[in-house]
């Protein structure tokens, strides 16, 4: 059974810092991996989707990497801003077509 | 293009009462998902529809939960009777047909059972 773990569970940093959020999964037989952002009381916004054949994806200040063989992904946020404060969720899509989520990293960026 | 629409956004009920949530997927998306998100947890799939057919309802507690998607577009998720432990966020998502297409999520319905 696929399990997805995210470390750390919470993170508080001053504005301007570069951050790394970690995601690990137990079954490397995945179709893709996705990073989402969730603001309080809101739904999920997709940030980056990495296909299993890819190593990384970039969007603006965000960069996500995937090492399928070791079951790991990282989300790198450059020059963090207070507006980046949210919960970040990692999810893997297995070959059963089911999206399995981690428990998230709650990020707070203070001015 | 409009996103996934859910209503109500918030619902407070007393235990043992029934409750229903509604979802309108993105136009042209034949696949619809209902997820349950408990506080501090990631979403977990309850049921997945391909058009009108429920193709995966293995995680749906069928003693009190039911869902329908009669015309293959809108969907309703119902709980009857609600229990205290049902307090959570109920998320709806949609995608184009197939197992491996990107899912787009709605804002969710936050249910509080007193």
């Amino acid at each position: 059974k696929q399990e997805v773990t995210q470390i750390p569970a919470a993170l508080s940093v001053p504005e301007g810092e570069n951050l790394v959020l970690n995601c690990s999964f137990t079954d490397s037989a995945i179709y893709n991996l996705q990073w989402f952002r969730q603001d309080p009381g809101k739904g999920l916004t997709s940030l980056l989707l990495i296909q299993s054949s890819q190593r990384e994806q970039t969007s603006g200040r965000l960069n996500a990497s995937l090492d399928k063989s070791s079951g790991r992904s990282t989300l790198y946020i450059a020059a963090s801003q207070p507006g980046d404060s949210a919960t970040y969720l990692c999810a893997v899509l297995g070959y059963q077509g089911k999206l399995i989520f981690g428990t998230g990293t709650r990020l707070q960026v203070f001015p | 293009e409009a996103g996934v629409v859910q209503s109500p956004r918030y619902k407070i009920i007393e235990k043992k009462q029934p409750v229903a949530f509604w979802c309108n997927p993105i136009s042209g998306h034949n696949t619809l998902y209902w997820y349950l998100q408990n506080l501090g947890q990631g979403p977990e799939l309850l049921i997945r529809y391909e058009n009108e057919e429920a193709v995966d309802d293995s995680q749906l507690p069928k003693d009190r939960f039911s869902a329908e998607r009669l015309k293959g577009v809108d969907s309703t998720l119902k709980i009857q009777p609600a229990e205290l432990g049902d307090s959570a966020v109920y998320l709806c998502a949609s995608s184009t047909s197939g197992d491996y297409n990107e899912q787009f999520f709605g804002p969710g319905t936050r249910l509080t059972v007193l």
Side-chain angles (χ1 to χ4, degrees):
Chain A
K1 178 186 174 185
Q2 179 74 272
E3 293 183 3
V4 181
T5 304
Q6 291 188 244
I7 295 173
L11 187 60
S12 182
V13 300
E15 181 177 8
E17 277 205 5
N18 300 323
L19 333 157
V20 175
L21 308 183
N22 297 292
C23 172
S24 61
F25 46 95
T26 56
D27 186 351
S28 61
I30 64 170
Y31 191 78
N32 62 47
L33 183 145
Q34 206 164 352
W35 283 94
F36 292 89
R37 169 184 174 141
Q38 187 172 33
D39 293 281
K42 302 284 181 65
L44 277 63
T45 300
S46 179
L47 298 173
L48 292 164
L49 185 151
I50 312 176
Q51 301 292 352
S52 62
S53 58
Q54 297 175 319
R55 297 284 293 184
E56 66 177 345
Q57 282 285 350
T58 298
S59 176
R61 294 182 294 107
L62 305 180
N63 175 276
S65 67
L66 174 63
D67 184 343
K68 202 173 69 163
S69 62
S70 67
R72 296 186 181 194
S73 176
T74 60
L75 178 66
Y76 177 82
I77 304 176
S80 59
Q81 303 171 358
D84 295 329
S85 299
T87 295
Y88 291 80
L89 292 159
C90 163
V92 297
L93 186 64
Y95 285 99
Q96 315 90 328
K98 191 168 289 188
L99 198 59
I100 306 295
F101 285 84
T103 53
T105 294
R106 187 163 55 195
L107 173 66
Q108 182 179 11
V109 181
F110 54 90
Chain B
E1 179 181 293
V4 176
V5 179
Q6 291 187 247
S7 69
R9 292 294 315 280
Y10 304 92
K11 189 73 176 178
I12 301 174
I13 61 171
E14 295 191 346
K15 63 181 181 182
K16 301 185 181 180
Q17 294 300 306
V19 64
F21 314 124
W22 175 81
C23 174
N24 179 247
I26 293 173
S27 178
H29 283 191
N30 295 328
T31 307
L32 184 145
Y33 311 79
W34 283 102
Y35 287 85
L36 164 68
Q37 185 176 23
N38 286 305
L39 185 65
Q41 302 295 314
E44 297 178 354
L45 181 69
L46 287 173
I47 189 168
R48 169 185 159 191
Y49 281 94
E50 286 289 344
N51 298 304
E52 302 90 355
E53 183 182 359
V55 297
D56 184 355
D57 64 355
S58 57
Q59 301 303 310
L60 189 72
K62 299 180 183 65
D63 57 335
R64 297 183 301 106
F65 287 65
S66 64
E68 60 183 16
R69 195 184 184 201
L70 294 176
K71 296 183 179 179
V73 180
D74 296 358
S75 177
T76 302
L77 177 68
K78 298 178 182 177
I79 308 174
Q80 183 170 8
E83 298 179 351
L84 296 176
D86 296 331
S87 296
V89 176
Y90 293 82
L91 293 164
C92 179
S94 70
S95 71
T96 53
S97 291
D99 291 339
Y100 310 122
N101 296 317
E102 185 175 0
Q103 297 177 28
F104 296 84
F105 285 79
T109 296
R110 180 176 296 275
L111 174 67
T112 301
V113 182
L114 303 175

